Amino acid sequence: MPNILEFDNTICPITAIAFVRLNSQTLLFAGEGPFLRVFDHPTDKVLIETRVFTSQSIHGIAIGSPIKSNTSKQGCNVLIWGGRSIRAIQATSASRERSAGHDGLWLECIGSEAHCSDWILDGAFNTCDLNEDNSFPSQISAIFVTAHNNLWVWTVQKDQASPIDHHGSLRYLSAGPRSILDSAHVLWLTATHVLIAAGTCFGEVLLWSSHLRGPTLISSRAGHLHCTFTGHEGSVFGVQISPKVQFPGSAHTRRLLASCSDDRTIRVWETPDLDSSVFEAHRGAESDPLKTRETGFCLTYTAVGHTQAILCLASVWGHASRIWGVNFLPELRGNGPLKHVVDVLSFGEDATAQRWSLSIEMERLRSGQTSPGTEAQLKHVSSSDFHSGKSIWCSAVLAKGESSWVLATGGADGKIVSCEIPRDEDAATYNFTLTEISTPIANTESGRTNRMNEHPHFGQNLGLHAEDTLCQSPKISPSVLQHHLANLETSSSKVFCTLKSYVFVQEDVFLATTESGLVALGSLHRACSTNPLCTSENLNTKASAHVTWTVLQEIDNLKSYSLLASVPQAGMAFLGGAHGTVYWYDHPSGNIQPMVVLGTKISGLFAQYIRQDPVGAAKNAESVVLVAALLGSLTAYSWFISRRQVQDDEGPIEISKSWALELPPAFVVTSSHFLLSANLLILGARNGALAVYDLSSPGQTKTGLYPEACFRYVQEVDAVTVILTVPDPEVNNKPMTTHILTAGRNGTYSIHRLSFQQDVEPRTQMYLETVHLSTPSFGPNIEGAQFHPISGNLILWGFHGKDFVVWNDTTQSETMTIDCGGAHRSWAYLSNKDEGGSLIWTKASKLNLHRQWQPSHQVVKEGGHGREIKALAISSPLDAWGPVQTKLIITGAEDTTLRLFAYEEDPTLLGGSRFRCFGVFRKHTTGVQHLQWCGSAGFLFSSGGAEELFVWRVRKVCGFGVGMICEAKCSAMGKLSDLRVMSFHVLDILDKKAATSLEACFLICVVFSNSTIRVYLYSSSIMMKKFDLLLSGTYGTCCLTQAHCFVSSQDVYIATAGTDGYIAFWNLTEDLRKHGVIVANGQAQLYSQLEVPFPETANWQTRTLVHQSAVKCMTLVQVPGDGNLIVTGGDDNALAFTCVKPLGTVPTEGPQCSTLLIPKAHASAITAITFVGFASIRSGPSHHLRFATSSNDQRLKLWSAYLDLSKQGVNGLEITKDANVYTSVADVSSMDLLTDKSKKQKVFVCGVGVDVWSVNESDSGPV
């Protein structure tokens, strides 16, 4: 029945992508598996999707010329190919007819799917098919280049009476030079002349053409070889011919050819002038396509019919691995002796897209010199790294005005990303020296006086720990300032002319200090720009055009050393110096005044904005919590500071309370956070510890305030740089629990549950439990974080090597990357409301500024793993979500990461459902092999190579989403063990011990690649997580690949399978009893855990042969009535159903088995099986079971097993095949079943991507 399995959704590699403009609407066509999706740009909404091929992924998309049918409709023909399949689609857009179902866009398939005899590499429409009125033509023709360098033509004649029923014909045209190709590009020069660039697997680039005649496109002769470019040292994976390039300042025009290769080089070649008389004179000299050729792995050159040598213009080595493709950006720029001629884009296996500019010395071309004397170079301009895993497979570029391009890329991770590439990549970054800053400062009006000096309260000490009253600094006149700055620049000591520290006081305003103690205010001006990502003008030559500088004061206490902290929400900043003086800057009034003198060098200043005054000293006032740490002191200080709404003689701010904080030993403060809901102050230390202070206790005391609790190793032993409160709408009061986020320089961030009793005095009962730990990909230095006030996304920023990176952890995307030189420098960063931001930093004695209004790219379509998925597991409903019945999905891949997500209904989307990713987790050091959920408490188990076996805990975190942490790791038997945990199975054990504190207890049966088996008891409690090895044994010499535990009424068994094709049964009942594990009423229970010095030796009792070779997958179903059915898939393409009789009472006796084998169930090895469930039946056998299988043949099949336990063995078993469909997932490795809230069953198929299929009811019966 064809409708039993119905396609639902997919995440597969994006293998083809193309832009098109119709009716002022920009569309993005993307091929994902056999489906074509059309996105609206820039809203990224899916407008429509259609299935193009029945059992073939899309590999290429070519867009025809726009066609107008009337004044309101515009369309184009879309040519699609994949493998040997060809299809054409007519896309029509109506700007005035925006229907709800199609958003004004219609896709109509032209003809049926055609098949070529060879693999298709590239194709193009014949633009001469257009009618004179530019309407849709009655005939469509396209040409293709295949892997053996042959040219084919496909013609479709449109039937006007039945426009949907078109007929097409595929014909062979001509052959190029004999070779095996890895890439090709075909270009129509005229209506009868086709130019082909072919990249061979032998390192050659062949440039040849074919001449056609007549409306039916008949080749007049064999293909003509023009050039053979050699020099690549590997297969040529990408070639492209440019449009005609007119070199700046010259009438010289020529087509260029770009190529990329396995050798990680990009080369640009100059092609011969095919329109010249030289070419016409030698057009008859045809090459023999059957002539035996040499490989291209040498530096030789051949040009047929030409006397001039045509060499490689430029070559550059780039990317970290193989380069898959190369494109010319559709815009020329530059003039003068040495300017950019054309821009080239490359993408490859390292999942990056890189831009290169071709520069050529034009003076030689103007003087008539030929290309051998022409000097050219490819210069790297920029790189984008927005995909995960390996390989960007396709790209498309769209010119956007005269200032930028829009680049879209599709990768192996199934993600589509679009980003804007500005013409000038340095337009968003300004850098200038102190001299350039001093010019606008010194040119201030001569009558200007410093606003700080005019304030009536300047010099007043507002602190509670002051020792001396500060003296008023002298006013600075413009002439004195200019002379002072000139002396700084000419000083022989470089330290006095160094810009020291920066901090933002508003989004467009920042403070800067120098080594001489000068405090200046910089105001940024947003330049007019057509680029929404960043500003468009460079300040290197004129800094004052976009930054207005105002000198505030020269403060002696800030000379040579200064620290800054700010609260941009309140327009406040704080400055600290080497002598312990803390200054306060108020931006609305422009005043700087001293606040307190602490007498010791300040090692840290930390300011935090709070929405309300925590102590009620100033009603409706803006409040700031300020913490100051002193160098070498075990005492820190904290203040509550409020701005008065009505200013009086006491000044604009009020210190409502202050504390002296006694620090734990070896505690160097690196961060602070005030927890408003609990009136707690949390300090982070350089050694990874947290200290918690209760500020509801009395304020200043003689001995200071001691911490209520100190938690060590929160960030291991690295500095805690970030402490945040997780926004939680469900805060409980008694007992009070809150979640905090910490991050540090170990490259991780964590979420902790802080529990305490609110009304207990003294409050000493505090417990910190880590519920989430994640390692963002950009680390290791995480320096800041925030929950974005509008989107709620978690934004992290820090340093990765020489780059400053802003990372959106919620969307798992990089929003900003700046090459600033690394973490060891002065810098300041402030994000904006659109998730962009501004960065100021010092590099090479210059102040640098980068502004970015929005994230660096848009995610058009979310993706998944960038490598093959090797394991999949779907949870049962978890207790933490209550009646919501949320089921979580976990996948593990060869990229060593785990991805946690949910499959949710979303009626706003075209398909009605979506994948929602909760996080990416990096703990494994090898590819993930197996995954399993156990129980409803959120326990997850994962395994991989090097004996890696991890236990994860997944919990709901209000305000954040899902928290996941690796709570335990099973120790390897040897330090250098390279054994792979091939499979395992976990049983939930009921803990019956008296006075137990265990949260959970599990029995884990593990099989290894060296044919050994181990049984562990895992115990989890608040205070302890541990593995106990109970049993170990050896099966034989083959590799064990599968394991499954099952419990009968009184026994515990393990069924294992391996590469020898056998299923072996192990009775563990008596061995487990010695460790206090018994079976009662079909449930394994732990009554007492006995200490046994050595693990027991386990032995298998019986085995049965089910396959001729390795067992690749296995599932076991316990059928009501004490029956068991084991289904296995093998390397022999067979599917085996093994009935297991009710087990005997003698421990040494194994179960009796009988097997029903279905040979050739698939065309290749069966790699995944899942139990779909029990189905209802009308009559006949007592049980109807459903199974889904998949294989390397990319077929998904559904089977029904009718089992009658009253009959002996397989006599009571009958099998039917209910469905057989194509899945776009290659290398299928795992499958699982999800039953959604509406009881709809969905099968997830994982491999190179993910497919989701809905299972419908079947009325089939046994045959």
Side-chain angles (χ1 to χ4, degrees):
M1 292 188 177
N3 296 325
I4 295 178
L5 287 176
E6 183 179 354
F7 175 80
D8 197 70
N9 209 333
T10 187
I11 298 179
C12 283
I14 307 298
T15 50
I17 200 167
F19 277 113
V20 65
R21 281 195 176 108
L22 295 177
N23 276 333
S24 302
Q25 185 180 20
T26 302
L27 305 176
L28 181 64
F29 288 77
E32 184 176 16
F35 297 94
L36 178 69
R37 289 190 172 96
V38 184
F39 298 86
D40 178 65
H41 178 78
T43 64
D44 302 333
K45 179 183 178 181
V46 181
L47 301 179
I48 194 171
E49 67 177 29
T50 185
R51 184 167 191 141
V52 178
F53 300 129
T54 56
S55 59
Q56 173 61 52
S57 295
I58 296 173
H59 291 160
I61 300 174
I63 306 296
S65 300
I67 303 170
K68 289 186 178 180
S69 58
N70 52 49
T71 57
S72 63
K73 291 185 179 181
Q74 187 180 25
C76 66
N77 292 323
V78 182
L79 184 64
I80 302 171
W81 65 90
R84 300 187 302 110
S85 301
I86 313 165
R87 198 79 184 265
I89 288 179
Q90 180 177 296
T92 307
S93 174
S95 58
R96 301 178 184 177
E97 301 178 11
R98 309 287 289 182
S99 65
H102 296 81
D103 288 302
L105 182 69
W106 289 266
L107 297 180
E108 177 188 358
C109 291
I110 303 175
S112 58
E113 178 180 341
H115 298 278
C116 185
S117 61
D118 198 1
W119 194 274
I120 299 171
L121 297 179
D122 193 40
F125 279 117
N126 185 359
T127 57
C128 297
D129 288 335
L130 295 179
N131 297 328
E132 294 182 359
D133 59 354
N134 204 33
S135 61
F136 284 101
S138 59
Q139 174 179 296
I140 300 172
S141 60
I143 54 174
F144 295 92
V145 180
T146 62
H148 285 81
N149 211 13
N150 295 325
L151 193 64
W152 294 72
V153 62
W154 183 54
T155 305
V156 177
Q157 190 69 34
K158 188 171 182 179
D159 186 357
Q160 300 296 334
S162 177
I164 299 179
D165 185 19
H166 313 310
H167 305 280
S169 63
L170 186 66
R171 294 183 292 105
Y172 170 82
L173 280 181
S174 61
R178 189 173 68 175
S179 186
I180 300 176
L181 307 185
D182 278 323
S183 59
H185 181 216
V186 59
L187 180 69
W188 286 91
L189 297 180
T190 65
T192 60
H193 190 191
V194 179
L195 183 64
I196 300 100
T200 74
C201 61
F202 305 114
E204 295 175 314
V205 179
L206 308 176
L207 186 67
W208 63 283
S209 65
S210 179
H211 290 267
L212 312 174
R213 69 176 188 272
T216 58
L217 299 179
I218 301 174
S219 178
S220 59
R221 55 179 66 88
H224 178 84
L225 177 64
H226 302 292
C227 303
T228 301
F229 301 109
T230 61
H232 282 296
E233 297 179 359
S235 299
V236 179
F237 292 132
V239 292
Q240 190 178 54
I241 306 170
S242 75
K244 283 191 175 182
V245 177
Q246 182 172 0
F247 297 111
S250 171
H252 183 80
T253 60
R254 190 69 61 87
R255 295 186 188 274
L256 302 178
L257 189 149
S259 61
C260 60
S261 171
D262 193 16
D263 61 6
R264 299 161 60 185
T265 64
I266 302 162
R267 294 174 181 264
V268 177
W269 318 80
E270 185 180 6
T271 65
D273 188 358
L274 302 182
D275 298 325
S276 66
S277 58
V278 176
F279 169 74
E280 292 294 331
H282 295 84
R283 196 171 66 175
E286 306 296 342
S287 61
D288 183 6
L290 302 180
K291 182 180 178 180
T292 302
R293 305 185 54 80
E294 299 291 337
T295 66
F297 302 140
C298 56
L299 291 175
T300 60
Y301 169 77
T302 303
V304 177
H306 289 268
T307 58
Q308 60 177 6
I310 305 176
L311 302 177
C312 178
L313 283 178
S315 176
V316 67
W317 181 87
H319 291 268
S321 55
R322 292 175 291 184
I323 306 174
W324 297 134
V326 60
N327 295 324
F328 287 99
L329 294 182
E331 185 176 330
L332 305 178
R333 61 178 189 147
N335 50 43
L338 185 62
K339 291 292 183 179
H340 302 304
V341 174
V342 70
D343 289 271
V344 179
L345 180 78
S346 62
F347 55 90
E349 192 178 25
D350 60 357
T352 66
Q354 301 189 23
R355 175 187 166 196
W356 310 83
S357 287
L358 176 66
S359 301
I360 189 167
E361 188 175 347
M362 300 309 306
E363 294 297 336
R364 295 179 180 272
L365 292 177
R366 294 192 190 100
S367 61
Q369 295 189 23
T370 56
S371 44
T374 303
E375 295 183 2
Q377 61 178 353
L378 278 171
K379 180 183 178 182
H380 186 267
V381 179
S382 63
S383 177
S384 61
D385 184 8
F386 304 137
H387 293 268
S388 60
K390 294 176 63 175
S391 294
I392 293 177
W393 290 122
C394 54
S395 69
V397 182
L398 179 71
K400 185 179 180 180
E402 298 180 356
S403 61
S404 63
W405 299 273
V406 177
L407 168 66
T409 56
D413 56 357
K415 181 190 292 185
I416 302 176
V417 172
S418 68
C419 63
E420 195 159 327
I421 306 176
R423 171 191 287 266
D424 185 0
E425 291 285 348
D426 296 327
T429 303
Y430 322 137
N431 60 82
F432 35 88
T433 64
L434 190 60
T435 301
E436 295 168 316
I437 297 174
S438 66
T439 302
I441 297 177
N443 289 336
T444 312
E445 297 178 4
S446 60
R448 180 184 63 82
T449 59
N450 188 273
R451 289 182 290 171
M452 184 191 74
N453 298 332
E454 295 175 347
H455 196 274
H457 303 288
F458 174 74
Q460 178 182 358
N461 193 321
L462 301 180
L464 300 180
H465 308 291
E467 299 175 359
D468 300 304
T469 302
L470 300 179
C471 297
Q472 181 172 344
S473 300
K475 297 179 181 180
I476 302 179
S477 67
S479 59
V480 173
L481 176 64
Q482 187 175 12
H483 177 71
H484 170 73
L485 293 171
N487 290 337
L488 292 179
E489 287 293 329
T490 58
S491 173
S492 59
S493 177
K494 294 184 179 180
V495 71
F496 291 104
C497 60
T498 302
L499 292 160
K500 185 62 181 176
S501 302
Y502 319 104
V503 72
F504 282 94
V505 293
Q506 283 187 350
E507 182 177 349
D508 295 331
V509 180
F510 64 93
L511 284 179
T513 62
T514 69
E515 287 284 357
S516 63
L518 185 71
V519 182
L521 185 72
S523 300
L524 308 178
H525 303 284
R526 182 166 182 167
C528 297
S529 173
T530 58
N531 182 5
L533 296 181
C534 54
T535 54
S536 62
E537 297 183 28
N538 198 324
L539 294 185
N540 294 350
T541 57
K542 196 174 182 180
S544 60
H546 295 280
V547 181
T548 300
W549 291 95
T550 304
V551 65
L552 297 179
Q553 186 62 31
E554 183 183 9
I555 302 175
D556 291 338
N557 288 328
L558 300 182
K559 286 184 177 180
S560 301
Y561 180 84
S562 61
L563 285 178
L564 304 181
S566 70
V567 183
Q569 302 95 320
M572 296 184 187
F574 302 90
L575 303 86
H579 301 293
T581 306
V582 179
Y583 297 85
W584 169 71
Y585 169 72
D586 178 46
H587 183 63
S589 62
N591 298 313
I592 294 180
Q593 59 187 83
M595 193 185 81
V596 65
V597 176
L598 300 176
T600 306
K601 184 177 183 178
I602 298 175
S603 61
L605 276 178
F606 312 96
Q608 177 187 347
Y609 175 79
I610 50 180
R611 295 183 179 275
Q612 63 188 54
D613 184 12
V615 293
K619 187 176 181 181
N620 299 324
E622 291 183 309
S623 300
V624 173
V625 178
L626 179 67
V627 175
L630 306 180
L631 183 65
S633 174
L634 288 179
T635 302
Y637 297 93
S638 178
W639 303 270
F640 283 149
I641 304 170
S642 302
R643 178 185 285 117
R644 292 185 175 92
Q645 298 299 308
V646 179
Q647 298 188 16
D648 50 26
D649 294 339
E650 297 181 359
I653 66 168
E654 175 185 1
I655 298 181
S656 53
K657 214 165 188 181
S658 65
W659 290 266
L661 309 174
E662 300 298 329
L663 302 176
F667 196 98
V668 179
V669 181
T670 55
S671 58
S672 75
H673 181 73
F674 177 69
L675 191 59
L676 180 62
S677 61
N679 212 17
L680 295 177
L681 181 66
I682 306 174
L683 302 182
R686 185 179 295 172
N687 59 4
L690 292 181
V692 184
Y693 295 85
D694 181 7
L695 299 189
S696 60
S697 60
Q700 182 66 28
T701 63
K702 292 183 179 180
T703 59
L705 190 64
Y706 286 89
E708 298 292 330
C710 182
F711 305 102
R712 300 286 182 179
Y713 309 111
V714 174
Q715 291 296 134
E716 298 177 348
V717 294
D718 291 284
V720 180
T721 56
V722 178
I723 308 174
L724 291 177
T725 301
V726 177
D728 186 357
E730 304 175 10
V731 176
N732 299 320
N733 292 325
K734 292 183 180 180
M736 190 169 181
T737 300
T738 189
H739 291 92
I740 62 173
L741 180 145
T742 64
R745 293 182 182 139
N746 63 343
T748 67
Y749 79 87
S750 307
I751 294 179
H752 316 272
R753 179 184 291 120
L754 180 62
S755 304
F756 49 86
Q757 296 295 326
Q758 186 178 24
D759 297 329
V760 176
E761 295 293 345
R763 182 164 51 192
T764 58
Q765 299 298 321
M766 290 189 184
Y767 179 71
L768 189 74
E769 181 185 11
T770 304
V771 297
H772 181 79
L773 189 146
S774 181
T775 306
S777 61
F778 75 89
N781 288 10
I782 301 177
E783 301 291 344
Q786 72 164 358
F787 289 94
H788 196 270
I790 298 177
S791 65
N793 293 339
L794 175 59
I795 310 297
L796 305 167
W797 56 85
F799 293 91
H800 176 73
K802 294 184 178 181
D803 295 333
F804 178 84
V805 179
V806 181
W807 175 263
N808 188 327
D809 196 73
T810 303
T811 61
Q812 292 292 309
S813 60
E814 195 175 278
T815 61
M816 181 188 295
T817 303
I818 305 166
D819 183 3
C820 66
H824 301 290
R825 64 197 64 253
S826 298
W827 62 276
Y829 173 74
L830 182 67
S831 63
N832 61 25
K833 63 180 181 179
D834 296 323
E835 298 190 7
S838 301
L839 176 70
I840 303 174
W841 74 97
T842 301
K843 184 178 181 181
S845 300
K846 290 186 178 182
L847 184 151
N848 295 264
L849 168 66
H850 179 93
R851 306 185 72 192
Q852 187 169 299
W853 308 119
Q854 296 176 0
S856 57
H857 67 284
Q858 292 179 253
V859 178
V860 179
K861 177 187 174 295
E862 295 287 350
H865 290 279
R867 295 289 303 275
E868 304 88 336
I869 298 175
K870 305 300 291 184
L872 162 74
I874 300 176
S875 73
S876 58
L878 302 179
D879 295 337
W881 276 262
V884 180
Q885 297 289 305
T886 298
K887 293 184 178 181
L888 299 178
I889 305 167
I890 191 79
T891 55
E894 283 291 338
D895 59 7
T896 75
T897 64
L898 301 179
R899 284 184 175 261
L900 182 69
F901 59 96
Y903 192 65
E904 300 177 337
E905 294 182 0
D906 191 344
T908 63
L909 299 178
L910 188 62
S913 58
R914 66 173 183 137
F915 297 89
R916 180 188 176 192
C917 182
F918 290 115
V920 179
F921 302 90
R922 298 169 178 87
K923 182 69 174 179
H924 285 276
T925 59
T926 62
V928 180
Q929 186 72 24
H930 190 61
L931 295 165
Q932 184 185 341
W933 295 91
C934 194
S936 58
F939 283 92
L940 172 70
F941 299 81
S942 66
S943 70
E947 293 192 43
E948 291 181 341
L949 179 62
F950 299 144
V951 182
W952 305 77
R953 187 71 185 275
V954 181
R955 283 165 284 201
K956 181 180 180 180
V957 179
C958 294
F960 177 76
V962 179
M964 178 169 163
I965 184 173
C966 179
E967 71 170 31
K969 176 183 178 181
C970 183
S971 299
M973 298 298 289
K975 294 183 179 180
L976 300 178
S977 176
D978 59 352
L979 292 180
R980 177 171 289 272
V981 179
M982 300 300 297
S983 182
F984 62 86
H985 194 264
V986 184
L987 283 181
D988 195 354
I989 302 296
L990 185 63
D991 185 16
K992 289 289 187 177
K993 293 191 300 182
T996 181
S997 61
L998 292 181
E999 283 189 82
C1001 189
F1002 302 98
L1003 192 69
I1004 310 174
C1005 303
V1006 189
V1007 295
F1008 294 87
S1009 55
N1010 66 343
S1011 199
T1012 60
I1013 179 174
R1014 298 177 201 163
V1015 179
Y1016 293 93
L1017 181 68
Y1018 176 71
S1019 306
S1020 176
S1021 66
I1022 295 178
M1023 304 303 297
M1024 177 186 64
K1025 325 284 184 185
K1026 72 169 184 174
F1027 284 88
D1028 292 308
L1029 179 60
L1030 306 183
L1031 307 173
S1032 65
T1034 302
Y1035 169 70
T1037 57
C1038 69
C1039 173
L1040 293 178
T1041 59
Q1042 305 294 323
H1044 202 294
C1045 294
F1046 59 99
V1047 180
S1048 67
S1049 58
Q1050 296 181 348
D1051 297 300
V1052 179
Y1053 277 82
I1054 303 178
T1056 63
T1059 55
D1060 60 352
Y1062 281 87
I1063 299 177
F1065 296 90
W1066 311 61
N1067 192 334
L1068 308 180
T1069 307
E1070 292 301 322
D1071 295 328
L1072 292 177
R1073 192 185 302 274
K1074 298 177 183 179
H1075 294 272
V1077 179
I1078 66 172
V1079 177
N1081 300 321
Q1083 171 69 52
Q1085 302 176 3
L1086 178 64
Y1087 274 87
S1088 62
Q1089 189 170 351
L1090 305 177
E1091 295 294 336
V1092 179
F1094 299 101
E1096 297 290 330
T1097 300
N1099 297 288
W1100 58 272
Q1101 283 73 43
T1102 186
R1103 65 178 185 173
T1104 181
L1105 181 64
V1106 292
H1107 290 280
Q1108 297 178 3
S1109 54
V1111 178
K1112 305 289 288 186
C1113 53
M1114 180 176 74
T1115 187
L1116 185 147
V1117 181
Q1118 293 184 272
V1119 182
D1122 204 18
N1124 298 277
L1125 182 63
I1126 300 177
V1127 185
T1128 56
D1131 217 3
D1132 55 359
N1133 307 351
L1135 186 64
F1137 293 82
T1138 303
C1139 295
V1140 181
K1141 286 184 60 176
L1143 308 179
T1145 58
V1146 180
T1148 57
E1149 293 181 0
Q1152 296 183 359
C1153 307
S1154 58
T1155 301
L1156 176 62
L1157 189 69
I1158 302 178
K1160 299 181 181 179
H1162 281 267
S1164 60
I1166 300 175
T1167 54
I1169 295 176
T1170 189
F1171 174 57
V1172 177
F1174 291 93
S1176 59
I1177 57 175
R1178 297 179 178 178
S1179 61
S1182 56
H1183 299 286
H1184 177 193
L1185 298 82
R1186 275 180 161 182
F1187 298 90
T1189 63
S1190 191
S1191 166
N1192 291 332
D1193 61 2
Q1194 292 187 242
R1195 307 298 301 185
L1196 174 63
K1197 298 184 179 182
L1198 188 66
W1199 309 82
S1200 286
Y1202 299 88
L1203 180 62
D1204 188 353
L1205 294 177
S1206 63
K1207 296 182 180 180
Q1208 184 72 20
V1210 295
N1211 294 327
L1213 183 63
E1214 297 185 44
I1215 308 297
T1216 63
K1217 182 169 63 177
D1218 297 337
N1220 180 5
V1221 296
Y1222 168 80
T1223 174
S1224 54
V1225 176
D1227 296 334
V1228 175
S1229 62
S1230 53
M1231 299 169 62
D1232 208 343
L1233 182 75
L1234 172 70
T1235 303
D1236 60 16
K1237 299 175 183 178
S1238 61
K1239 306 301 180 182
K1240 187 75 172 179
Q1241 293 179 320
K1242 298 182 184 294
V1243 175
F1244 283 68
V1245 183
C1246 290
V1248 183
V1250 181
D1251 257 3
V1252 184
W1253 294 80
S1254 296
V1255 182
N1256 301 318
E1257 289 295 329
S1258 171
D1259 295 331
S1260 63
V1263 294

